[in-house]
Amino acid sequence: MDRLSRSAFWCSGGEGRGGGGEGGSRLYAVCLFCCLCLSAAVVAAQTAGAPVARPPPPMYASNPTKGVIDSSLYYPADAQCLMAAIKKFATAVIVRDRTKAATLLRLVFHDCMTTGGGCEASILSDGEINNPVNADLKRVVPDINTIRDQAGRECGVLPTLADTIARAAAAAVTFTGLNDVVSSGFQLGRRDLAPNQPGNEPTTLPNENQSLDAILTLFATFGLTAKESTVWAIGGHSIGVADCAHFSSRLSNVSTFPGCLRPADPTLDPSLACRLARQCSIQDIRLPFDFVTPFSLDTSYFQLLLKKQGLLKSDQAFSAHPRTSAFIRQYATFPGLFSGDFLKAFVKVSLFNVNSPQTAPPTQYYYP
Ligand code: HEM
Ligand SMILES: *[C@@H]1O[C@H](CO)[C@@H](O)[C@H](O)[C@H]1NC(C)=O
Ligand SMILES: *[C@@H]1O[C@H](CO)[C@@H](O)[C@H](O)[C@H]1NC(C)=O
C-alpha cells in the first residue's frame, strides 16, 4: 500500500466506527480530501528538501510588566523544552564539580538583588562580574554560556541568559536536596539587560560587616519579610564556602593570643574559632559555612547558629536579632518547614524587577 491508500484505509476505518450511512460517506470524502492535501504537502516539503516549516519568532510584548514573567518570550512547547534542558545541562555541570551548586545559587542572588537591578543577567556585564565582590562567581560564567548553548541546540530555541541563570540555580537547589522549583510556580520569561545598559552597582549587595538591621532594611526594599530574608540568606549559606578574609577578623585578638581561647568576636564559639584559625593559618583558603552538611541545602546551618557556630558575623547575627531569632529556632527545630519556604523565597527572588525598562527583547529566537 502506498502512503495515500494507507491514509484512505485509516479514514474508512474511522467511518466504520462512526456508524456509516450518509454522514459516514461525507466524512469519508472530507477525510480523503484532507489526506490528499496532507500527502501533497509532505511531498512538496520533501521535494523542496526543507524540514517542517518553523513558525516565525514570537511577537514579543513591547511593554512587558515589570516584575512579571513575560510569556511572549517563548512558544509554550519551547519553554517546556528549555525548562527541562537547562536543568539537565546545569545538573551535568554540577555532577562534574559539585562545589558549583553553591556558586550557581549565589550567582542568581547577585544577579537579582543589586539595588536598581533585577534578574536580567546584568551579573554578566563587565561592570558587575569584574567587581571584586563577584570574583568567585567568575568561574561559572563559562558554564552559563555552555548550558545556554546546549539547551538552545537541544530545543532549537535560545533561552535568555537571565532565564539560564535562574534555571541553573534552580537545578542547583534540586541537586542539593530540594524539590524542583517548578512545583512552587517557577517559570521562564526573563528578558536580558539591554545592550546599551551598564548594569548595576555590585557594592549595593550586603557584606558581612553590615549590621543585620541594615541587611534586613536592604532586603525589605526587595519585598522580603524578616522571615523570608532569614530562610533565603541562612538557607543559601547552608551550602558553599567563604574565604578566610571574610571571617578571620572574628578569630584571634592579638592581645589575647592564642585567639582560639578567646575569639575577637564574642558571638563565635571558641572551639570553632580555634579550628578556623588553625585552618586559615596554613594558607588563605575557603571553608564551608555549614561544616556538617556542606553540600546539602538543609537546616543544619540553622542548628549551627544556635551553637554560635556561624561562619560570618552577619550570619550569626540572625540568631540573636529580635526580628529573626525565632525563625532560626523554628527552622532548626522543625526542618520540615524549611524546604517549602526556601523554594517560595527562591521563586520570589527570581522575579525581582524582571522585564524592567532596562531590559530588551531577544534579538534571536531560533538556534543557532
Ligand atoms: C545576608 C547577607 C549576605 C552576606 C553578608 C553574604 C556574604 C557572603 C560571603 C562573604 C560569601 C563568601 C564569598 C567568598 O569568599 O567567595 C558568601 C558566599 C555565598 N553566599 Fe552569601 N551573603 C549574604 C546573603 C546570601 C543570600 C541571600 C544567599 C542566597 C542564595 C547567599 C548565598 C551564598 C552562597 C551559596 C555562597 C557560597 C558560594 C560558593 O561556595 O561559591 N548569600 N556570601
Ligand atoms: C570587614 O571587616 C574586616 C575587619 O575590619 C576587614 O578585614 C574586611 O575586609 C571587611 N570586609 C568588607 C567586605 O568590608
Ligand atoms: C581584644 O581583646 C581586648 C581585651 O579583651 C579587648 O579590649 C579588645 O577590644 C579586643 N579587640 C578586638 C579587635 O576585639
Side-chain angles (χ1 to χ4, degrees):
M1 253 195 281
D2 62 20
R3 181 186 306 133
L4 194 56
S5 43
R6 220 173 26 237
S7 306
F9 178 73
W10 181 84
C11 284
S12 59
E15 182 213 343
R17 281 197 299 278
E22 251 174 54
S25 40
R26 256 203 313 277
L27 181 65
Y28 180 84
V30 169
C31 203
L32 182 61
F33 179 71
C34 291
C35 292
L36 280 166
C37 289
L38 263 176
S39 308
V42 167
V43 169
Q46 275 165 356
T47 29
V52 176
R54 302 187 297 192
M59 295 281 289
Y60 298 124
S62 53
N63 252 329
T65 312
K66 189 167 97 168
V68 177
I69 284 298
D70 178 357
S71 53
S72 80
L73 286 191
Y74 312 103
Y75 291 120
D78 292 335
Q80 209 181 343
C81 181
L82 291 171
M83 189 73 95
I86 299 169
K87 179 182 185 177
K88 180 171 86 178
F89 295 116
T91 303
V93 166
I94 301 166
V95 166
R96 278 196 296 276
D97 178 353
R98 62 185 181 150
T99 69
K100 284 186 175 170
T103 314
L104 288 169
L105 178 59
R106 190 171 182 231
L107 189 72
V108 81
F109 164 47
H110 282 206
D111 186 32
C112 298
M113 293 186 72
T114 42
T115 300
C119 311
E120 74 306 62
S122 68
I123 184 70
L124 304 176
S125 67
D126 289 345
E128 289 192 34
I129 197 66
N130 291 327
N131 189 290
V133 169
N134 291 322
D136 300 296
L137 297 176
K138 269 189 161 172
R139 69 192 187 115
V140 294
V141 171
D143 295 313
I144 291 296
N145 289 315
T146 307
I147 292 164
R148 181 198 196 205
D149 187 73
Q150 290 171 322
R153 184 173 314 166
E154 175 149 315
C155 299
V157 163
L158 268 180
T160 63
L161 285 161
D163 277 336
T164 307
I165 290 170
R167 184 58 176 149
V173 166
T174 305
F175 187 87
T176 50
L178 304 192
N179 287 336
D180 193 323
V181 284
V182 169
S183 63
S184 298
F186 179 85
Q187 290 176 293
L188 300 181
R190 296 163 186 78
R191 310 200 314 182
D192 288 341
L193 189 71
N196 62 345
Q197 291 288 324
N200 309 296
E201 183 44 71
T203 54
T204 58
L205 290 160
N207 76 62
E208 69 275 9
N209 292 335
Q210 280 176 307
S211 72
L212 188 50
D213 276 320
I215 292 171
L216 293 175
T217 301
L218 175 69
F219 282 6
T221 67
F222 290 94
L224 292 186
T225 63
K227 185 175 187 181
E228 289 168 330
S229 301
T230 305
V231 77
W232 175 231
I234 303 306
H237 286 178
S238 76
I239 56 174
V241 293
D243 191 289
C244 292
H246 295 293
F247 55 85
S248 55
S249 65
R250 307 181 67 201
L251 306 180
S252 64
N253 177 337
V254 269
S255 62
T256 60
F257 191 83
C260 53
L261 295 181
R262 202 183 328 163
D265 183 345
T267 68
L268 178 61
D269 168 45
S271 70
L272 179 62
C274 197
R275 183 150 56 82
L276 296 175
R278 198 169 56 240
Q279 290 173 306
C280 289
S281 70
I282 300 167
Q283 53 175 326
D284 190 19
I285 47 169
R286 298 183 147 66
L287 295 174
F289 290 97
D290 172 1
F291 58 82
V292 180
T293 56
F295 296 104
S296 295
L297 203 46
D298 61 10
T299 54
S300 112
Y301 196 51
F302 293 79
Q303 286 150 11
L304 289 176
L305 292 186
L306 295 181
K307 297 189 271 186
K308 296 172 72 174
Q309 294 184 336
L311 195 62
L312 302 182
K313 191 177 177 61
S314 50
D315 289 343
Q316 192 57 55
F318 276 87
S319 76
H321 195 284
R323 290 185 58 204
T324 54
S325 62
F327 304 129
I328 296 292
R329 260 180 281 114
Q330 220 174 76
Y331 291 117
T333 317
F334 307 105
L337 300 176
F338 170 69
S339 167
D341 287 358
F342 184 87
L343 292 173
K344 270 189 226 127
F346 182 101
V347 171
K348 189 168 184 179
V349 169
S350 77
L351 288 172
F352 282 144
N353 281 342
V354 294
N355 303 313
S356 73
Q358 291 179 313
T359 64
T363 51
Q364 193 185 350
Y365 187 68
Y366 288 111
Y367 182 91

